[in-house]
């Protein structure tokens, strides 16, 4: 009989890569997602069952668990900002109770390597992950808690942070955590252990440390990344004064990782994360060819980046906005006021060529208008704790729902017709940018809408403060996109 696996967190970095691995292993896969539309464009979407629900909704969890043999719990609320510990515990308890009631045979959870059992003080991020492991282990359902440190792979938050710090700073002043010992693991090996953990015998219910073959300090990881990517040796000066708060802001300025994520990651780097045992090998054999070393993991990740073959990124996890937020197509906009800058321009260019320009917007290509204004807006966003323009694109030419695009997120994309982006910069309200190709009376039209729903007086003041610049920013965008399509 085919085993059914329920995957939570399928819109995230690990979950999005685990699903095709489970399908290849012969599992019948079901995904639980708050917003199923974010999985619509995945290559495997038609091969799985996707159900809508929130991890804290007991009724939705019960429905999703029906008939499941193994459950992959890949939920972590760190991305949601302050108070994530309580959200983590609530969701884990809901799932623990649901799995017991549904007769689930196995829970597999990916947590942090340090669990505090040795008496060491944990960062809030690591402590929350350890607490979730405790809740799932106490469920009465056989549970495998796989504990990993830094996960290295194209698009992982740890890889992106290491990459940008090393590439952008040939000389850097760093805090003491760069000397902390870390046992990184390649994402392909994490996936191997996750799939293998589903077949553990029912009497096995415990934590397992998983890690690659190398134990390095963060400083050594930066130097080896530099060597592997053809850069000169980095000059690193350690100082004792950079607190986690200051360090996270420093990371945010240099890398695409926003402060909300950088701070708990930096706090975690103060704790040594090295495997204390290798018991997993008694039940799950090493991957063919053995575990992937750090240098090989970096080389593989860099090749994926170079080939534009990054299937998931850390930024797939939502940072701002919620499924309950209104959409531009909502008829009543929840009673709020709405400001729209709308442009419709007839064009004498092939619609497919125009669409290629629209879908390729952002990242290295920019926004086709007033580059300094976009750069300043990105810098200002970083200064107030936002994501800025540093996230770029997952793929230089193709977009799918859920992708991050500088300080936007792809909310919907209808190939050849419409691209809708939701703003994730810090704003006193909600904002969207919608670009499209349509026909009217036999002619091709370029359509563009900038939409803003203000929040309170600050939101109204913001709109009217930036309104005089719309003629230059959005008018120029329309003209330049059309010109690029004609030239292309």
């Amino acid at each position: 009989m085919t085993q059914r696996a329920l995957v939570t967190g399928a819109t995230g970095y690990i979950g999005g890569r685990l699903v095709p691995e489970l399908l290849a292993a012969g599992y019948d896969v079901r995904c639980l997602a708050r917003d199923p539309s974010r999985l619509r464009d995945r290559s495997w979407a038609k091969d799985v069952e996707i159900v809508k629900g929130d991890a804290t909704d007991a009724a939705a969890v019960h429905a999703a668990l029906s008939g499941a043999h193994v459950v992959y719990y890949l939920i972590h609320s760190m991305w949601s900002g302050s108070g994530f510990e309580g959200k983590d515990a609530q969701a884990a308890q809901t799932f623990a109770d649901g799995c017991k009631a549904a007769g689930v045979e196995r829970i597999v959870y990916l947590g942090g390597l340090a669990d505090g059992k040795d008496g060491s003080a944990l960062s809030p991020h690591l402590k929350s992950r350890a607490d979730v492991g405790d809740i799932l282990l106490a469920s009465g359902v056989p549970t495998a808690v796989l504990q990993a440190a830094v996960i290295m792979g194209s698009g992982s938050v740890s890889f992106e942070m290491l990459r940008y710090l090393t590439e952008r700073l040939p000389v850097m002043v760093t805090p003491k955590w760069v000397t902390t010992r870390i046992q990184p693991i390649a994402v392909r090996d994490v996936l191997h252990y996750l799939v293998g953990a589903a077949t553990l015998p029912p009497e096995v219910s415990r934590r397992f440390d998983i890690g690659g073959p190398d134990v390095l300090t963060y400083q050594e990881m930066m130097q080896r990344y530099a060597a592997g990517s053809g850069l000169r040796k980095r000059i690193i000066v350690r100082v004792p004064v950079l607190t986690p708060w200051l360090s996270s802001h420093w990371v945010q300025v240099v890398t695409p990782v926003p402060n909300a994520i950088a701070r708990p990651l930096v706090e975690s780097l103060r704790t040594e994360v090295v495997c204390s045992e290798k018991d997993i090998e008694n039940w799950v054999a090493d991957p063919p060819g053995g575990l992937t070393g750090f240098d090989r993991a970096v080389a593989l990740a860099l090749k994926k980046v170079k080939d534009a073959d990054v299937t998931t990124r850390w930024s797939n996890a939502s940072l701002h906005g919620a499924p309950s937020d209104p959409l531009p197509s909502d008829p009543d906009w929840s009673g709020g006021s709405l400001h729209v800058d709308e442009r419709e321009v007839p064009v004498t260019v092939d619609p497919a060529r125009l669409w290629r320009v629209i879908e390729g917007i952002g990242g290295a290509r920019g926004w086709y208008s007033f580059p300094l204004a976009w750069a300043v807006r990105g810098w200002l966003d970083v200064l107030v704790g936002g994501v800025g323009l540093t996230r770029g694109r997952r793929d230089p030419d193709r977009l799918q729902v859920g992708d991050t695009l500088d300080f936007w997120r792809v909310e919907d994309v209808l190939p050849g017709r419409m691209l809708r982006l939701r703003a994730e910069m810090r704003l006193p309200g909600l904002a969207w940018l919608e670009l499209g190709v349509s026909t009217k009376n036999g002619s091709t039209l370029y359509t563009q809408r900038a939409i803003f729903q203000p929040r309170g007086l600050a939101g109204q003041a913001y709109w009217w403060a930036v309104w005089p610049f719309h003629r230059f920013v959005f008018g120029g965008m329309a003209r330049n996109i059309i010109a690029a399509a004609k030239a292309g």
Side-chain angles (χ1 to χ4, degrees):
M1 183 181 69
T2 302
Q3 293 267 303
R4 172 171 291 172
L6 173 67
V7 177
T8 65
T11 58
Y13 177 72
I14 294 293
R17 298 189 179 210
L18 175 63
V19 169
E21 297 293 326
L22 290 171
L23 290 170
Y27 287 91
D28 178 10
V29 179
R30 175 187 293 158
C31 299
L32 175 67
R34 285 189 304 169
D35 183 6
S37 68
R38 291 181 57 195
L39 297 176
R40 185 191 67 196
D41 297 330
R42 301 299 176 93
S43 60
W44 41 259
K46 294 181 180 179
D47 300 321
V48 304
E49 178 188 0
I50 302 173
V51 296
K52 182 177 182 178
D54 189 278
T56 58
D57 182 342
V61 168
H62 176 77
L65 289 170
S66 177
H69 299 90
V70 57
V71 171
Y72 285 91
Y73 192 81
L74 303 174
I75 296 171
H76 190 42
S77 302
M78 180 181 75
W79 321 113
S80 64
S82 61
F84 68 84
E85 302 97 324
K87 297 173 186 176
D88 271 348
Q90 180 187 0
Q93 191 62 62
T94 300
F95 255 88
D97 295 341
C99 287
K100 181 66 174 177
V104 170
E105 297 173 8
R106 164 71 57 187
I107 299 172
V108 181
Y109 170 59
L110 180 62
L113 184 53
D115 58 18
K117 301 305 181 185
D118 60 357
S120 59
L122 298 180
S123 70
H125 164 57
L126 287 176
K127 185 176 186 307
S128 179
R129 293 212 162 188
D131 290 345
V132 167
D134 289 340
I135 291 170
L136 297 176
L137 285 166
S139 66
V141 177
T143 299
V145 176
L146 304 185
Q147 302 185 145
V150 169
I151 296 176
M152 298 301 297
S154 59
S156 78
V157 64
S158 296
F159 174 75
E160 292 292 295
M161 192 166 109
L162 176 70
R163 172 189 173 197
Y164 281 93
L165 283 175
T166 308
E167 290 183 354
R168 294 182 175 179
L169 296 176
V171 179
M172 63 186 91
V173 176
T174 63
K176 290 190 295 184
W177 52 255
V178 297
T179 61
T180 301
R181 294 200 314 152
I182 300 166
Q183 190 164 355
I185 182 170
V187 65
R188 57 174 51 197
D189 294 339
V190 173
L191 296 172
H192 172 80
Y193 284 131
L194 284 170
V195 174
T199 61
L200 291 172
E203 65 271 14
V204 177
S205 186
R206 52 163 290 187
R207 286 182 161 85
F208 291 98
D209 292 352
I210 59 173
D214 300 307
V215 176
L216 306 165
T217 66
Y218 203 87
Q219 177 173 323
E220 290 170 334
M221 288 169 60
M222 287 190 286
Q223 297 291 16
R224 286 173 67 163
Y225 176 94
S229 55
L231 300 172
R232 292 182 178 179
K233 185 176 181 180
R234 308 288 93 170
I235 299 174
I236 300 173
V237 180
R238 297 191 303 275
V239 296
V241 294
L242 287 182
T243 66
W245 183 84
L246 287 172
S247 294
S248 63
H249 282 284
W250 168 61
V251 168
Q252 181 188 20
V253 169
V254 178
T255 79
V257 182
N259 183 261
I261 298 175
R263 183 168 184 178
L265 287 179
V266 167
E267 289 175 335
S268 300
L269 288 173
R270 299 164 67 191
T271 303
E272 181 172 286
V273 278
V274 177
C275 295
S276 60
E277 44 84 9
K278 296 179 60 179
D279 294 350
I280 189 69
E281 64 186 16
N282 295 326
W283 286 277
V284 180
D286 286 348
L291 294 171
T292 307
F294 176 82
D295 296 332
R296 174 69 174 154
V298 167
L300 290 168
L302 286 173
K303 186 177 187 304
K304 289 282 188 180
V305 172
K306 180 181 178 181
D307 295 344
D309 189 26
V310 182
T311 54
T312 63
R313 295 182 71 197
W314 61 272
S315 51
N316 289 124
S318 180
L319 295 174
H320 302 289
S324 58
D325 287 341
L327 304 178
S329 55
D330 288 350
D332 56 7
W333 280 84
S334 304
S337 58
L338 181 66
H339 299 295
V340 180
D341 181 290
E342 189 163 8
R343 299 167 193 272
E344 186 178 89
V345 185
V347 296
T348 55
V349 67
D350 179 62
R353 184 182 296 176
L354 178 59
W355 175 253
R356 283 196 297 271
V357 176
I358 290 172
E359 192 174 14
I361 199 169
R365 294 188 180 98
W367 292 88
Y368 293 96
S369 72
F370 208 167
L372 180 60
W374 286 91
V376 169
R377 185 63 184 87
W379 297 333
L380 291 174
D381 194 51
V382 169
L383 288 176
V384 296
V387 296
L389 290 171
T390 55
R391 295 188 301 185
R393 297 174 55 111
R394 177 188 59 86
D395 184 292
D397 301 310
R398 299 288 178 263
L399 293 173
Q400 62 186 28
V401 172
D403 274 357
T404 50
L405 181 56
D406 294 331
F407 49 40
W408 305 89
R409 185 177 297 275
V410 178
E411 188 167 79
D412 201 4
V413 56
L414 303 176
R417 295 166 50 198
M418 186 273 291
L419 171 65
R420 181 189 298 144
L421 308 174
R422 182 195 289 264
E424 291 194 340
M425 72 282 278
R426 299 280 185 171
L427 286 172
L430 300 170
W432 291 261
L433 178 62
E434 194 172 275
L435 311 175
V437 181
S438 62
T439 57
K440 186 175 183 180
N441 299 327
S443 300
T444 301
L445 296 176
Y446 168 76
T447 57
Q448 177 181 296
R449 290 200 304 162
I451 306 161
F452 183 66
Q453 185 189 28
R455 184 180 296 116
L457 183 60
Q460 295 287 352
Y462 174 84
W463 171 262
W464 293 114
V466 300
W467 180 80
F469 300 100
H470 283 190
R471 176 183 175 185
F472 303 101
V473 174
F474 294 117
M477 176 183 288
R479 290 191 302 272
N480 294 330
I481 284 177
I482 294 168
K486 290 180 178 178

